[in-house]
Amino acid sequence: MHARRLRVSLKGWGGVGAMAVVCALAVLFVLLLPLAPSHGGGKGGPDTGGPGATWGEQARAAEECTAPEKQTLSPSPADGPTIDEIKSREGEKRKLIVGVDQNSYRWGYRDPNSGGDAELEGFDIDLVHRIAEDILGDPDAVQFKAIPTDQRIPAIQDGRVDMVVRTMTINCARLQDVAFSAPYFRTGQQLLAPKSSPITGYNDTLADKEICTATGSTAFSTLEQDRKDGRLVASADLRTTVPNQLDCLVRLQLGEVDAVVTDGALAASQAAQDPTVQLKGDAFTTEYYGVAMKKDADDLVRRVNQILVEFRQDTEDGWQASYEQWLSATLGDDSAKSEPPAPQYLRKS
Amino acid sequence: MTQPPKSSAAPPAGAGAPTLPAVPPQPLPHQRAGAGVPAASPPPQPRRTAFAEGVDRLRAAATTEPGRLRIIGALLALLVVAFGAVTAWQTTDRAAAADDVLGRSQPLSSDAADIYRSLADANTAASSGFLAGGQETETSRDRYERGIRTAAEKLVRAAANSDADSPSAATIAELNRLLPEYKGLIERARTYNRQGFPVGGAYLRYANEKMQKEMLPAAERLYSTENRRLSADYGDAEPYPWAAIALGVLALAALAWAQYRSYQRTNRVLNHGLVAATAAATVALLWLVVGHSVARSNLGDSYDHGVRSLNVLHEARIASLKARGNENLTLVARGAETKKVGDETHDAYDFDFQKNMGALDKGLAEARRLADDKAGEQPVTAAVGNMAEWKKRHASAREQDENGNYQQALDMVIGGKGATVECFDGVDASLADALGHEENEFRQAAGDGRDAMTGLPVGAAVLAVLAAAGVLLGIGRRLSEYR
C-alpha cells in the first residue's frame, strides 16, 4: 500500500525530490563542518586536519588556524563602541565585569587567611586590575564573576561579562566563538599524580588509569583526541570531569582518580597545595593563555593588546613583578619558559 | 475416620487373652438393653457426625421448655462473651495504634524532620564558615557541630524504631554511611582553609554536592516515609469498632427478647440474673461508644491542630534553611552558576533562594491560619516579621553584589548587625518556638485520646464475663423451677 503510493509519487516528483534532499544534505554538511571541534591548539604541524581533511572548507579553516595565538588584532589605545559602553556605566555600576577563577592557587583565588576580606588575588587578578585602571582609571573598578571552566565562552557570548581572564587557552575551536588578545603566558598540558604512583608521564603507564579533567577544558579535548589518534592508550578512563581543575585534586586525594591532566601552570599550583603529589613528565603540548572577549569587540581587543604590551614592558610593576610575586614559588624563579613569544597580530578584521 | 472398628469386631476366641480387657466398652451393650447378645452380634451402625448428633439432641431438647431454656441460655452467654471478646480485641488494636501515634510514629516523623533540618543547618553553617574565611566564627562552628550531633543522635533513634528490612531502615543506613563521609570532607576543607589553600573551597563544594544531591534527598525520603506511617497509625486508631458495636446491640436485643419471653411465660417482670447481664452489657456498650468517640475526637484534634501545624511548620523551617543556604551559596559561587528562565538569565542560587522564600511565605501564612490560639500564633507572626525584613535586607545585599561590591554584600549577609543572618536566626528561633508549642498541643490531645481508651479492653472483657454469669444465673433460676 505505502510502497505503491511511494512508487507512484516517485514517478512524478522522485527525481526532483531526491535531488533536493541530496542538495540540502550537502549544504548542511558543509555548514556543520567548521563547527566540528578542531584539535590541537598550538601544536602546529600537519596533524591538525584529521581524517576528514579532504574537504576544502575545513582544510582552509585549519590552514587559517595553525597558530591561533597569532589570530588577534594589532594594539591600539583608541576607544571604540565597546569601551564607550563600559565607560558610560553610571555610579556604582561603573565597573569592568570580568570572569575569573576563584579556585586557582596563585592565579585567581581568595586567600582564606587574608583576614576576613574577600579580595581575590593572583597573577590573573593583577592583570585584571591593570586593565581596569587603564580603561576606567581605577584598578578596583572591577566586578569579579567566578566562572566554571565550561561557562567561560557562554558567559562572554551572553554578555554576562566584558572579558574572561581565567587561565584560558587560545585555541582554534574557541576562536570560532570568541576573540582573544595576544598571549600573555605560555604553558602546556601536564600530568599530575601521587609521588608513589607507578605513572611516570604521558605514556603507556596510563593504561587502565582514571584521569580527571575539567569539563570543557583543553585538557579534556586534547586527551580525547589523543586517545582517538592512538597517542594515548585506549584503556585510559576519561569519564571523570569536574567543573573546575581544582576539583580534580580533591578526587585525586580521595583516590577516586589516578591522575590529573591540566595546564602545567595550574598543575604546579595543585602540587603546591599537596606535597604528596607531583608533576609527572614534561608538558606534552604548548599552549598560550589569552584574554577572551566578545567576537565583535574589536576596540576592546586592540586596547587589551595595547595594555599587554605595556604590562610586559613594565619592569617595576608589570608581568615580571607579578610572576615573581605569585608564580616563582610554584613554577620556578626562571620565568623564561613561561614567557610568551613576541606577539604577532595576523588578524585583520 | 473409617478405621477398622476396634470395639465391635468379633474377638478371636481364645487368642490374645491379655489384650482383651482393654477392648470391650462394656457400657454400650448395657445401654442397649434388650439386645441379649453380648458384644459382636448387631451389625455396626454407620457412625454419625458429632454435629448431626448435636442437632438431633437439640431438636429433641427444643421440644421441652427446660431444653429451650438451656439453648437460650447458652446462646445468650455466647453472644455476650463474643461481644466482650470482639470489643477487647478491637479496642486493643485502636489503643495500640493511638499509642503508636503518640509514642512512636509522631516522634519518628518529628525526628525525621529534625534530621533533615539539622543536616541542612550544618551545611549552611559550613558554607557560612567558608564565606568568613579561615577565621571561622565560633557561632558558625557551634552551629555546624550541633547540626551534625543532632542528626547523628536522631539517626540512631530512628534506626532503633524502624523494622530491619523496611525502606526506612535502608534510608537510615544510607544516611549513616554518608554522614561521616560528609564530615570528613568538611574537616579536610577546614584544614586546607587554615593553610590558605583554595583546595579547601573545592572540598567544601564537594561536601555541599554530597549533601544536596544525596543526603538531603534521603532525609526527605525518610521524612515522607515516617509521615506516611503516622497517617497509617491514625488510620488504624480512628475507625469506629463496628463489629463490636453490632455485637453489643445484638446481645442487648437478645437479652431484651429473652426477658420479654420469660415475662410472657411466667408473668414475672424481673429476672435478676438477666437484668444484671443486661446492665453489664449496656455499660460495656456505652463505654465502648463513648470512650472511642472521645478518643477519636481527641485524636482528630491532635491531627488537625497538632500534626498538620507541625508539618507546615517543619516545612516552613526547612524552606528558611534552604533559603539561607542558597543565599550563602550565591556569594560562595559568585555568579558561577546561572539558570535560564524564559529569556532571562538568573543566578542559579539566587533563583532558588527566591523559590525557597516563596515556600516560606506560603508556609507561614498556612501556619498562621492553622494556629488556633494566641500562644501558637505569636511566634508565627514574629517569623513573618523577620522574613519581611530578611527579604528587604537580601535585596540590598544583592544590589551591592550586582554592583560588584562583593565585600559589602558579604558583610550584609554574614556580618554582624544589620545582616540577613539576624533575620534568618529570628525566623529559625520563632519557628522553633512555634514547633515546641504545637508539639505540646499534639501531645496533650493525642495523650487525652489514648487515655480515653485506657481500661476499655479489660473493662469490656470483665463486664462481658459478668453479663455471661448473669445470663447463666438467670436462666438457671428458671430451670430450677422445673425440678
Side-chain angles (χ1 to χ4, degrees):
Chain A
M1 191 50 183
H2 268 280
R4 186 142 42 96
R5 201 182 300 158
L6 193 69
R7 228 176 297 136
V8 169
S9 70
L10 269 179
K11 242 177 239 166
W13 290 93
V16 182
M19 288 302 285
V21 167
V22 168
C23 285
L25 277 177
V27 167
L28 201 66
F29 198 30
V30 169
L31 283 177
L32 282 177
L33 267 179
L35 291 178
S38 42
H39 151 258
K43 282 182 80 181
D47 63 306
T48 21
T54 43
W55 284 84
E57 196 78 21
Q58 197 193 0
R60 197 152 51 81
E63 210 176 309
E64 265 178 11
C65 192
T66 43
E69 72 277 8
K70 293 174 187 163
Q71 301 301 322
T72 186
L73 297 162
S74 56
S76 154
D79 287 359
T82 318
I83 296 177
D84 285 342
E85 190 274 317
I86 293 169
K87 283 185 167 175
S88 68
R89 290 172 189 162
E90 297 278 331
E92 291 272 10
K93 298 235 178 244
R94 195 182 146 83
K95 285 186 175 113
L96 189 65
I97 306 171
V98 187
V100 294
D101 193 1
Q102 54 175 352
N103 299 297
S104 294
Y105 189 43
R106 307 218 160 231
W107 281 93
Y109 79 113
R110 194 183 143 202
D111 182 356
N113 283 338
S114 57
D117 70 1
E119 294 300 315
L120 291 170
E121 53 193 32
F123 189 91
D124 276 345
I125 306 299
D126 280 0
L127 178 56
V128 172
H129 284 306
R130 179 120 189 166
I131 296 171
E133 181 172 23
D134 191 274
I135 294 178
L136 291 170
D138 174 4
D140 291 326
V142 186
Q143 177 179 4
F144 290 109
K145 291 213 165 174
I147 297 188
T149 307
D150 68 343
Q151 288 296 310
R152 292 181 293 197
I153 288 174
I156 294 171
Q157 287 178 322
D158 299 352
R160 272 183 273 147
V161 294
D162 297 324
M163 59 181 68
V164 164
V165 185
R166 189 191 175 286
T167 57
M168 188 166 176
T169 300
I170 306 168
N171 69 19
C172 294
R174 290 174 184 165
L175 273 172
Q176 309 278 346
D177 303 317
V178 294
F180 276 102
S181 71
Y184 68 88
F185 206 87
R186 170 159 54 187
T187 184
Q189 299 299 320
Q190 221 166 344
L191 197 77
L192 185 83
K195 282 180 177 165
S196 58
S197 163
I199 296 169
T200 57
Y202 193 61
N203 52 35
D204 287 349
T205 51
L206 287 171
D208 298 317
K209 300 292 185 201
E210 284 180 56
I211 306 172
C212 177
T213 51
T215 314
S217 64
T218 30
F220 180 72
S221 47
T222 305
L223 290 183
E224 214 181 23
Q225 188 66 43
D226 279 3
R227 193 170 61 173
K228 222 182 276 169
D229 298 348
R231 276 185 299 263
L232 172 65
V233 284
S235 62
D237 184 347
L238 306 178
R239 277 173 304 175
T240 308
T241 59
V242 292
N244 191 294
Q245 44 86 21
L246 191 58
D247 298 326
C248 278
L249 181 58
V250 169
R251 306 294 197 276
L252 186 70
Q253 290 182 339
L254 293 174
E256 291 174 20
V257 298
D258 301 303
V260 174
V261 171
T262 183
D263 311 340
L266 295 171
S269 294
Q270 293 191 8
Q273 298 180 59
D274 182 351
T276 70
V277 301
Q278 67 180 172
L279 298 172
K280 300 266 185 171
D282 294 325
F284 53 92
T285 62
T286 304
E287 293 173 12
Y288 300 96
Y289 290 155
V291 177
M293 286 153 282
K294 229 180 180 151
K295 221 174 167 194
D296 54 3
D298 288 0
D299 55 328
L300 192 60
V301 174
R302 289 180 194 277
R303 182 66 166 271
V304 169
N305 279 342
Q306 179 67 34
I307 295 167
L308 282 175
V309 169
E310 289 161 21
F311 188 53
R312 290 194 54 193
Q313 279 167 357
D314 185 350
T315 46
E316 292 257 311
D317 199 20
W319 194 96
Q320 190 61 36
S322 283
Y323 181 89
E324 275 160 27
Q325 187 187 353
W326 300 114
L327 303 177
S328 57
T330 54
L331 291 174
D333 289 333
D334 180 17
S335 64
K337 65 176 169 32
S338 299
E339 271 178 78
Q344 281 179 277
Y345 308 102
L346 299 183
R347 186 178 150 203
K348 294 297 166 230
S349 58
Chain B
M1 316 282 134
T2 47
Q3 270 158 353
K6 274 183 185 165
S7 55
S8 48
T19 59
L20 264 177
V23 177
Q26 292 306 334
L28 204 75
H30 266 290
Q31 276 185 350
R32 298 196 177 161
V37 198
S41 56
Q45 287 202 337
R47 279 191 65 176
R48 307 181 52 214
T49 62
F51 180 74
E53 266 172 30
V55 169
D56 272 359
R57 216 177 285 169
L58 264 179
R59 201 170 287 153
T63 55
T64 64
E65 180 61 13
R68 268 182 237 134
L69 278 175
R70 273 205 189 92
I71 293 169
I72 288 169
L75 281 179
L76 279 178
L78 196 72
L79 210 53
V80 169
V81 169
F83 164 56
V86 171
T87 304
W89 164 57
Q90 287 199 312
T91 51
T92 306
D93 264 10
R94 280 161 183 71
D99 205 45
D100 276 353
V101 164
L102 186 65
R104 215 166 88 121
S105 47
Q106 196 281 331
L108 277 182
S109 133
S110 251
D111 279 357
D114 278 346
I115 289 170
Y116 189 102
R117 184 189 55 75
S118 41
L119 286 177
D121 203 3
N123 199 42
T124 303
S127 60
S128 301
F130 174 76
L131 279 176
Q135 281 82 19
E136 192 183 13
T137 61
E138 203 179 326
T139 39
S140 84
R141 190 169 47 236
D142 283 352
R143 194 172 188 128
Y144 163 76
E145 294 292 351
R146 203 172 51 233
I148 295 288
R149 212 162 37 229
T150 316
E153 276 166 18
K154 304 262 166 170
L155 273 176
V156 171
R157 245 166 71 179
N161 278 302
S162 68
D163 302 324
D165 47 0
S166 61
S168 308
T171 312
I172 292 166
E174 187 187 347
L175 279 170
N176 239 355
R177 176 176 62 74
L178 287 168
L179 188 62
E181 253 178 62
Y182 172 81
K183 183 110 185 5
L185 292 174
I186 294 283
E187 298 314 325
R188 285 192 190 214
R190 280 176 164 173
T191 309
Y192 277 119
N193 255 355
R194 295 198 162 224
Q195 289 174 291
F197 292 140
V199 70
Y203 269 106
L204 187 82
R205 279 201 306 277
Y206 194 39
N208 179 58
E209 196 185 308
K210 200 164 269 289
M211 178 63 81
Q212 304 281 357
K213 298 231 168 93
E214 297 180 47
M215 300 175 73
L216 290 182
E220 196 153 8
R221 254 192 339 266
L222 184 66
Y223 178 55
S224 48
T225 313
E226 297 299 353
N227 250 356
R228 268 202 304 277
R229 184 147 91 169
L230 177 59
S231 303
D233 280 343
Y234 266 111
D236 287 346
E238 285 190 338
Y240 275 109
W242 286 120
I245 292 173
L247 271 173
V249 171
L250 198 65
L252 280 180
L255 280 168
W257 171 80
Q259 283 167 91
Y260 179 67
R261 181 176 179 280
S262 148
Y263 165 71
Q264 279 201 325
R265 307 224 158 190
T266 64
N267 261 343
R268 259 171 278 168
V269 181
L270 290 177
N271 173 311
H272 290 141
L274 288 181
V275 168
T278 312
T282 310
V283 170
L285 185 61
L286 278 178
W287 190 359
L288 170 67
V289 172
V290 172
H292 189 267
S293 297
V294 170
R296 197 181 135 88
S297 105
N298 276 325
L299 282 175
D301 265 6
S302 78
Y303 189 83
D304 290 342
H305 301 304
V307 172
R308 258 169 63 191
S309 294
L310 282 172
N311 283 349
V312 168
L313 286 169
H314 275 311
E315 266 147 40
R317 201 171 180 200
I318 284 167
S320 89
L321 268 164
K322 279 185 173 168
R324 179 65 188 168
N326 281 320
E327 187 174 41
N328 282 343
L329 284 173
T330 311
L331 290 174
V332 172
R334 237 177 163 157
E337 314 254 334
T338 54
K339 192 179 252 174
K340 261 213 151 99
V341 182
D343 285 339
E344 273 182 271
T345 310
H346 298 271
D347 184 288
Y349 294 113
D350 195 50
F351 184 76
D352 286 347
F353 170 86
Q354 302 297 352
K355 232 169 44 189
N356 300 146
M357 279 311 230
L360 176 62
D361 203 353
K362 229 186 262 162
L364 287 179
E366 178 75 4
R368 186 130 76 158
R369 201 179 59 73
L370 287 174
D372 46 357
D373 58 359
K374 212 161 174 60
E377 204 179 314
Q378 190 259 329
V380 178
T381 314
V384 171
N386 273 314
M387 182 189 65
E389 178 66 24
W390 184 1
K391 279 184 178 163
K392 224 161 55 197
R393 290 186 188 178
H394 176 83
S396 45
R398 285 308 304 151
E399 200 185 323
Q400 288 292 340
D401 193 28
E402 298 287 342
N403 291 339
N405 299 326
Y406 185 78
Q407 184 64 52
Q408 282 88 326
L410 195 59
D411 290 342
M412 292 171 84
V413 170
I414 61 164
K417 265 219 143 335
T420 54
V421 63
E422 286 180 338
C423 309
F424 162 69
D425 285 344
V427 170
D428 199 52
S430 305
L431 286 178
D433 279 356
L435 277 167
H437 173 77
E438 295 298 337
E439 187 115 10
N440 271 343
E441 290 220 317
F442 162 79
R443 245 163 231 300
Q444 195 102 41
D448 286 352
R450 184 192 52 176
D451 293 347
M453 281 193 276
T454 313
L456 184 49
V458 178
V462 170
L463 283 170
V465 170
L466 284 179
V471 168
L472 295 181
L473 281 175
I475 299 288
R477 182 143 175 76
R478 287 271 289 115
L479 272 178
S480 64
E481 288 162 9
Y482 288 91
R483 297 263 151 88

